[in-house]
Amino acid sequence: MTVESLSEIGSTVASKVVRLDRVIIRFAGDSGDGMQLTGDRFTQESAAFGNDLVTLPNFPAEIRAPQGTIPGVSSFQVHFADHDILTAGDAPDVLVAMNPAALKANLADLPKGATIIVDTHDFSKRNLDKAGYDVNPLDLLGDANDMLGDYNVQPVDLTGMTVASVAEFGLSRKDAARAKNMFALGLLSWMYGRPTETTIDFLSKKFAKAPAIRDANITAFKTGWNYGETTETFAVQYEVKPAVMPAGTYRNITGNLALSYGLVAAGVRSGLPVFLGSYPITPATDILHELSKHKSFGVTTFQAEDEIAGVGSAIGASFAGQLGVTTTSGPGVALKGEAIGLAVMTELPLLVVNVQRGGPSTGLPTKTEQSDLLQAMYGRNGESPVPIVAPATPGDCFNAAVEAARIAITYRTPVMLLSDGYLANGSEPWSIPAIDDLPLIDPNFTTLETLAAEGKSGAEFEPYARDPETLARPWAIPGTKGLEHRIGGLEKGAGHGNISYDPANHDHMVRTRQAKIDAIADSLPPLEVDDPTGDAKVLVIGWGSTYGPIGAGVRRVRKAGYKVAHTHLRHLNPFPKDLGDILKRYDKVLVPEMNLGQLSMLLRAKYLVDAQGYNQVRGLPLKAADLAHAIGDLVAEAESVEVML
């Protein structure tokens, strides 16, 4: 941290500007305090400024948890930097706490020296009791018993100043106090030199039909900015320069939004209408909301009465020649299992998007987890293989959706797309791709014309004949004269598709459907391994949203002077063809997951390697610092050296 310059800010306060390379800020308050909106606006300001960033929204599942209690605390963490970053950060540098519960719930995550900006207004006896405080920690500041002595605490009456600043608009005190989150946003925007135009434009549009609310929020935002500029309390302003990024057009994007755009792009590149049959479920519902806006791209959305109806309608759409999609989370996948098996048996394209959350049962609806991998692999009756694709970052959800559609359409199979709550709600800068750079996906429909080109007539159409390369069966639009055929849940005879109970035929069809999934591996690129020296003895392998924490942990180990390799799986069924050879090159293999060891179990079973798990199921992303120590311990064991990070 270096002093960049001294400058006069405002007319009364000299403020020095300190340059930082990165900052982690967490906004925390009651679930009605607007912390998600505050964090999102700060994120958009940082994106407009050009920083690299990663976010972590964290909120309770209850629509309105008990006010002022620790279970009701909602937070939003944003990590922004002047360089490439991979995670939302392990520990906040700054905590904005709007009440006692927010302070207590987040205090353990703060490192010594962190800044706490706390709204003093709600530190009443009643709220302190709700949060479990025997005494007001703000009354002890500077005393021998100061429980906040390890931190830089800045008490500010955010609510009181907000109410005073918006008095002219005639709002009730309750409505006026609701703008305190904008006061806090204005203050933090000043502290870190964020551009304010995007927030003012946002508020102007959001509350255009309520002028008093609009003007109060804009005034509170500007007042917070001016407070930072003129008060002696905040004598330091911080500067985080824009990050150097590859050339391109960027926008900030969440995983659910990127996945939605990927589904639209898949429809465009395949020429197929997209049909989404879905039942609302946290944290996947935003995909339904977003796709409903894109009718102009041939997207149809259907909010079904339940999960089973949602997947059934999507299978029907695929039967009719569309790209059928259903979105859900783990509990919904359990309900859809029989219908997914039907799509396996009928060999129709289908995308099943599982935005994973904490389980079992309803579990932790708003928290993240990776515990549905084995469900995706085996969660159906019979031999029912399904390809599995998993994105690594919020922006990568776009590419994963396009890839899942490619596999589903090309190989005539349902595909499981495993996102999770961290990816779905988190955000990062995303380079918008050119449409021509996306792969074309040929649905290769069977018609009378294509049969004629093969020297066949409609009477010779075989609905379960096989493409010699992909083993995919033909896809003929129902209602096409001369191409009438039968499909369904009962076993079919090879080629002709009539119902068959022949034992040998069933064995043949089971093996053929498995071979078709195995053949997908032939279309996958070689697995990329990040091993700069080429002689590391430890490999860290992950999947899904562990990409960021693993990458950050690996960076820390390498920065300390030790060797470690890293690879990340997008395709989990089938695995890339070279994965077995890669695993054999390393003495130790570490598999970090937000479950109790599901990928490590699959790797041990298939490749007979001693894959060791690093497993946490806390409803939160893995922490890079903790992961770095686990990697370091394995490096020390593999190389017989002492590892000091």
Side-chain angles (χ1 to χ4, degrees):
M1 185 183 298
T2 59
V3 177
E4 183 68 11
S5 65
L6 285 172
S7 60
E8 188 73 13
I9 305 295
S11 57
T12 59
V13 180
S15 174
K16 67 179 181 180
V17 178
V18 176
R19 178 178 292 179
L20 305 174
D21 64 348
R22 66 179 186 89
V23 176
I24 304 168
I25 298 176
R26 182 182 295 176
F27 298 92
D30 192 73
S31 57
D33 286 339
M35 294 296 94
Q36 301 306 313
L37 176 62
T38 306
D40 180 70
R41 292 319 314 163
F42 192 92
T43 299
Q44 299 300 335
E45 292 175 359
S46 299
F49 188 72
N51 296 124
D52 194 19
L53 59 90
V54 182
T55 68
L56 174 61
N58 192 1
F59 44 88
E62 293 81 3
I63 294 174
R64 192 66 176 87
Q67 190 171 7
T69 64
I70 289 178
V73 172
S74 173
S75 68
F76 190 107
Q77 184 164 303
V78 54
H79 181 191
F80 60 104
D82 65 2
H83 59 278
D84 171 50
I85 55 175
L86 298 173
T87 75
D90 289 352
D93 303 303
V94 180
L95 171 66
V96 179
M98 306 301 279
N99 62 15
L103 176 64
K104 189 162 191 177
N106 291 281
L107 194 62
D109 292 339
L110 301 181
K112 291 183 179 181
T115 295
I116 302 174
I117 300 173
V118 58
D119 183 2
T120 60
H121 186 271
D122 282 340
F123 276 69
S124 63
K125 174 70 166 59
R126 184 166 179 265
N127 285 331
L128 288 165
D129 289 344
K130 285 183 181 180
Y133 280 113
D134 296 327
V135 296
N136 187 344
L138 302 184
D139 291 342
L140 302 178
L141 293 178
D143 291 353
N145 297 323
D146 184 359
M147 63 184 72
L148 302 177
D150 290 334
Y151 311 103
N152 173 27
V153 182
Q154 300 291 347
V156 180
D157 186 6
L158 296 174
T159 301
M161 285 191 284
T162 299
V163 171
S165 70
V166 303
E168 64 182 285
F169 302 109
L171 301 176
S172 67
R173 180 176 178 82
K174 182 178 180 181
D175 287 341
R178 285 176 175 166
K180 64 184 178 182
N181 63 328
M182 288 298 105
F183 187 103
L185 177 61
L187 173 59
L188 270 294
S189 298
W190 175 84
M191 287 179 64
Y192 293 95
R194 304 292 88 186
T196 60
E197 296 81 5
T198 56
T199 294
I200 293 174
D201 290 344
F202 169 82
L203 294 172
S204 298
K205 293 176 182 177
K206 181 176 179 63
F207 300 111
K209 296 181 179 179
I213 300 294
R214 175 198 63 202
D215 295 342
N217 277 277
I218 292 175
T219 298
F221 176 69
K222 291 181 176 179
T223 303
W225 174 282
N226 292 333
Y227 176 74
E229 188 175 57
T230 57
T231 184
E232 295 182 4
T233 303
F234 298 95
V236 178
Q237 201 175 17
Y238 300 96
E239 179 182 43
V240 180
K241 292 283 189 181
V244 177
M245 309 282 278
T249 302
Y250 288 82
R251 61 158 295 166
N252 188 53
I253 200 166
T254 65
N256 273 349
L257 184 57
L259 200 152
S260 301
Y261 288 171
L263 294 174
V264 174
V268 171
R269 297 304 277 172
S270 65
L272 298 177
V274 175
F275 178 93
L276 174 66
S278 182
Y279 182 75
I281 182 171
T282 301
T285 308
D286 286 343
I287 302 171
L288 171 61
H289 292 165
E290 182 60 34
L291 286 180
S292 68
K293 304 174 184 177
H294 297 291
K295 296 179 179 64
S296 60
F297 285 102
V299 178
T300 300
T301 52
F302 168 57
Q303 181 173 321
E305 67 268 27
D306 56 37
E307 295 281 7
I308 299 172
V311 67
S313 65
I315 294 171
S318 291
F319 177 54
Q322 301 187 25
L323 177 56
V325 184
T326 189
T327 52
T328 189
S329 191
V333 173
L335 291 166
K336 297 177 191 287
E338 182 180 2
I340 296 170
L342 173 63
V344 172
M345 180 62 88
T346 55
E347 301 189 51
L348 286 169
L350 175 71
L351 296 189
V352 181
V353 178
N354 179 357
V355 186
Q356 300 166 95
R357 69 189 205 185
S361 188
T362 43
L364 303 174
T366 60
K367 311 300 181 183
T368 194
E369 204 162 284
Q370 286 185 303
S371 53
D372 296 345
L373 177 56
L374 294 183
Q375 180 190 40
M377 284 287 292
Y378 304 119
R380 293 160 300 282
N381 66 296
E383 293 290 343
S384 189
V386 167
I388 303 171
V389 176
T393 69
D396 189 44
C397 289
F398 177 91
N399 299 319
V402 175
E403 171 65 356
R406 179 193 73 84
I407 292 172
I409 293 169
T410 303
Y411 292 88
R412 311 287 195 258
T413 178
V415 176
M416 193 76 70
L417 178 55
L418 289 183
S419 178
D420 63 45
Y422 177 36
L423 296 180
N425 297 316
S427 65
E428 67 174 354
W430 176 59
S431 178
I432 301 173
I435 191 69
D436 291 339
D437 292 339
L438 301 177
L440 283 171
I441 306 172
D442 185 5
N444 192 25
F445 287 118
T446 297
T447 64
L448 291 174
E449 289 75 16
T450 61
L451 284 176
E454 299 173 6
K456 297 179 180 179
S457 66
E460 298 174 277
F461 174 54
E462 293 184 309
Y464 281 84
R466 302 285 167 183
D467 180 285
E469 183 176 337
T470 65
L471 297 181
R473 76 170 187 85
W475 192 8
I477 303 296
T480 302
K481 186 176 180 180
L483 296 184
E484 295 85 358
H485 60 284
R486 176 187 295 171
I487 66 172
L490 292 173
E491 184 62 280
K492 311 299 180 295
H496 55 76
N498 294 326
I499 295 171
S500 173
Y501 290 94
D502 179 69
N505 176 79
H506 179 58
D507 184 271
H508 170 75
M509 292 296 284
V510 165
R511 294 179 186 277
T512 300
R513 287 189 289 265
Q514 181 63 58
K516 181 178 69 169
I517 303 307
D518 294 340
I520 295 170
D522 294 332
S523 71
L524 305 183
L527 190 59
E528 294 184 6
V529 181
D530 178 20
D531 186 357
T533 64
D535 58 354
K537 293 185 177 181
V538 173
L539 172 70
V540 186
I541 182 170
W543 67 280
S545 66
T546 58
Y547 174 80
I550 292 173
V554 166
R555 285 181 180 179
R556 295 185 185 210
V557 173
R558 289 177 181 167
K559 189 174 181 179
Y562 305 99
K563 301 173 184 177
V564 59
H566 174 209
T567 191
H568 207 75
L569 296 176
R570 162 170 287 171
H571 299 90
L572 295 152
N573 190 35
F575 287 128
K577 296 182 73 171
D578 55 349
L579 177 57
D581 292 335
I582 290 170
L583 293 172
K584 292 175 183 177
R585 296 207 302 256
Y586 297 91
D587 295 344
K588 302 288 183 181
V589 177
L590 183 67
V591 189
E593 298 180 81
M594 292 184 291
N595 58 46
L596 295 182
Q598 297 187 17
L599 176 59
S600 57
M601 180 189 301
L602 294 173
L603 295 178
R604 291 170 71 94
K606 185 172 180 63
Y607 299 106
L608 303 180
V609 296
D610 185 20
Q612 301 182 36
Y614 176 89
N615 306 104
Q616 292 183 356
V617 277
R618 302 170 57 244
L620 293 168
L622 303 179
K623 290 190 174 183
D626 295 342
L627 195 48
H629 285 287
I631 297 170
D633 291 343
L634 212 55
V635 170
E637 184 180 339
E639 300 189 6
S640 300
V641 296
E642 183 179 3
V643 172
M644 301 292 292
L645 299 182

